[in-house]
Amino acid sequence: MAAKKLYDSFSKTLIDEVQRWGAMKQTGVSLRYMMEFGSTPTRRNLLISAQFLQKELSIRIARRAIELDTLPYGLSQKPAILQVRDWYLDSFRDLRSFPEIKDTNDELEFTQMIKMIKVRHNNVVPTMALGVQQLKKALNPKIDYEDLDDIHQFLDRFYLSRIGIRMLIGQHVALHDPNPPPNCVGYIHTKMSPVEVARTASEDARSICLREYGSAPDITIYGDPNFTFPYVPTHLHLMVFELVKNSLRAVQERFMDSDKIAPPIRIIVADGIEDVSDEGGGIPRSGLPKIFTYLYSTAKNPLDEQSDLLTANVATMAGYGYGLPISRLYARYFGGDLQMISMEGYGNSSQPNLILVHGVHLLLHGP
């Protein structure tokens, strides 16, 4: 059924090209290399970058399109997944139909085209979440989510690849800024203060908690704001935002009907380590193995069959089931990690390298 729809929508020639490019080996690009290459965004360097991206993005997007059409348990046939697959095939067609990049004018036109590809894929995460929700509704409720390991592994590969694709496009586009912010090389901030990013992310998460509950626990950040290292601020913002959002919800719901004042969320930053801890009651032991899967959430899922995908990416407190697993992928993209330790009845915390009695550990690696 999915194959029929595929050939109904796209030519056999295009599908054969997708298969050919999807069999090619992709090239890894490190944070250090992006920082060094982008430090001198000359016309020649931008031309080299565009030529590399035309090939590299074709390989990465083709691989994901192939996987999207061959998923188990009928996931490929879910309407939301078919929509995402078509976005990837449209983007592959745009890349392969673009002429060979020979000069600056070609490079500038190519840059505008990949900007549009990035916009086309803006709603991939909530749309994929909707597809997974459609799968959950169709599955036998007795099936253990941990048994669906092939689905989890696919989603890890898919989202990690998406992070890489958007990083490559965003970095190339940002290098065209004639007046970049101080200490910035494209997306990369060479002197990023994790304390300052944590403060901004925490304020954003707290504003959502205030909107949904009418009140929110305080957030206390410990650390030296002058401590800096090279990293991508938007990546760290997303990770801290998700961790703090989870902590806020847990504490708020635990103390909502209590006479006690809700204790503050604590964020500790030390030499690249972010520790987010709370007293939200912790996660039951039975739930710990599931927290990094895409089929599990302790909150009501805000997506359903009738959800408007144009508004599906509006931030909510919880329920999509992908905040923590995707945050871990962002940490791992540049060699870090995110780990969770929970003390049931007390709370959670986030901090890598140091093992706490309770916690979530977020370890960041620079170049």
Side-chain angles (χ1 to χ4, degrees):
M1 183 177 175
K4 182 176 185 296
K5 184 176 177 62
L6 180 62
Y7 284 101
D8 282 349
S9 305
F10 299 92
S11 69
K12 184 179 184 301
T13 301
L14 178 70
I15 302 308
D16 289 344
E17 275 288 280
V18 169
Q19 294 290 340
R20 186 171 73 85
W21 280 88
M24 297 181 188
K25 185 178 181 181
Q26 68 182 55
T27 304
V29 184
S30 69
L31 181 67
R32 181 183 295 277
Y33 180 81
M34 281 190 279
M35 198 163 59
E36 291 175 352
F37 182 86
S39 62
T40 52
T42 60
R43 288 186 177 182
R44 180 176 179 276
N45 277 2
L46 291 173
L47 183 62
I48 292 171
S49 174
Q51 291 167 341
F52 167 75
L53 287 181
Q54 188 175 24
K55 177 181 178 181
E56 185 63 23
L57 292 175
S58 297
I59 294 171
R60 296 187 183 206
I61 287 174
R63 286 185 165 197
R64 301 289 74 79
I66 292 169
E67 275 203 304
L68 283 165
D69 203 48
T70 55
L71 298 175
Y73 304 105
L75 183 56
S76 290
Q77 283 78 37
K78 300 305 176 189
I81 304 302
L82 291 171
Q83 175 67 77
V84 174
R85 183 206 64 189
D86 288 357
W87 287 338
Y88 273 75
L89 289 171
D90 284 338
S91 296
F92 177 84
R93 181 170 52 192
D94 289 348
L95 287 163
R96 298 319 311 153
S97 62
F98 195 89
E100 182 182 357
I101 303 168
K102 297 179 179 180
D103 55 35
T104 296
N105 286 336
D106 292 342
E107 186 275 321
L108 290 173
E109 288 183 22
F110 176 79
T111 299
Q112 290 303 311
M113 188 264 289
I114 60 175
K115 281 174 69 175
M116 293 307 299
I117 287 178
K118 190 166 182 281
V119 171
R120 174 186 291 145
H121 291 246
N122 277 349
N123 276 338
V124 161
V125 174
T127 309
M128 287 295 293
L130 178 57
V132 171
Q133 179 71 1
Q134 291 166 345
L135 174 66
K136 284 174 68 174
K137 289 185 176 182
L139 285 176
N140 186 327
K142 294 182 179 180
I143 292 179
D144 191 329
Y145 296 153
E146 293 176 66
D147 293 337
L148 303 177
D149 193 50
D150 41 2
I151 295 288
H152 302 313
Q153 288 184 23
F154 157 71
L155 290 169
D156 270 348
R157 288 193 304 273
F158 180 83
Y159 287 130
L160 190 61
S161 173
R162 181 177 186 270
I163 292 168
I165 289 169
R166 294 180 76 79
M167 179 69 200
L168 290 175
I169 294 176
Q171 179 70 3
H172 179 81
V173 171
L175 289 176
H176 288 76
D177 187 347
N179 299 299
N183 303 312
C184 284
V185 178
Y187 264 15
I188 304 163
H189 197 302
T190 60
K191 295 183 179 180
M192 184 198 74
S193 167
V195 169
E196 292 303 323
V197 175
R199 182 172 290 117
T200 303
S202 298
E203 289 171 357
D204 290 347
R206 195 168 185 272
S207 67
I208 292 175
C209 187
L210 284 167
R211 185 187 72 202
E212 294 208 3
Y213 294 103
S215 62
D218 290 331
I219 300 171
T220 306
I221 302 176
Y222 302 92
D224 181 3
N226 295 316
F227 165 66
T228 64
F229 63 94
Y231 204 70
V232 182
T234 52
H235 287 193
L236 179 58
H237 183 283
L238 181 145
M239 290 182 274
V240 176
F241 173 81
E242 288 294 339
L243 293 173
V244 172
K245 186 178 69 172
N246 282 357
S247 290
L248 287 168
R249 181 177 70 88
V251 172
Q252 184 67 24
E253 292 187 354
R254 188 184 189 195
F255 288 88
M256 193 183 309
D257 299 321
S258 172
D259 293 334
K260 297 179 181 178
I261 298 175
I265 311 298
R266 297 174 298 280
I267 302 177
I268 303 171
V269 179
D271 293 340
I273 294 168
E274 298 264 352
D275 171 35
V276 180
S277 60
D278 65 64
E279 295 176 33
I283 296 171
R285 289 181 185 274
S286 60
L288 274 177
K290 303 175 185 177
I291 62 169
F292 289 114
T293 75
Y294 301 90
L295 297 170
Y296 175 79
S297 175
T298 58
K300 180 180 178 182
N301 197 310
L303 292 173
D304 56 38
E305 300 282 351
Q306 288 75 41
S307 291
D308 179 358
L309 289 179
L310 295 176
T311 59
N313 61 343
V314 174
T316 62
M317 283 304 289
Y320 292 104
Y322 59 70
L324 283 178
I326 288 186
S327 294
R328 182 170 67 172
L329 293 180
Y330 271 97
R332 289 178 171 178
Y333 183 70
F334 285 124
D337 204 1
L338 174 62
Q339 301 167 341
M340 171 76 76
I341 299 174
S342 178
M343 178 172 283
E344 192 169 350
Y346 182 75
N348 307 305
S349 146
S350 100
Q351 171 203 33
N353 265 9
L354 302 179
I355 302 300
L356 302 184
V357 176
H358 59 287
V360 183
H361 307 311
L362 172 59
L363 173 62
L364 303 179
H365 280 175

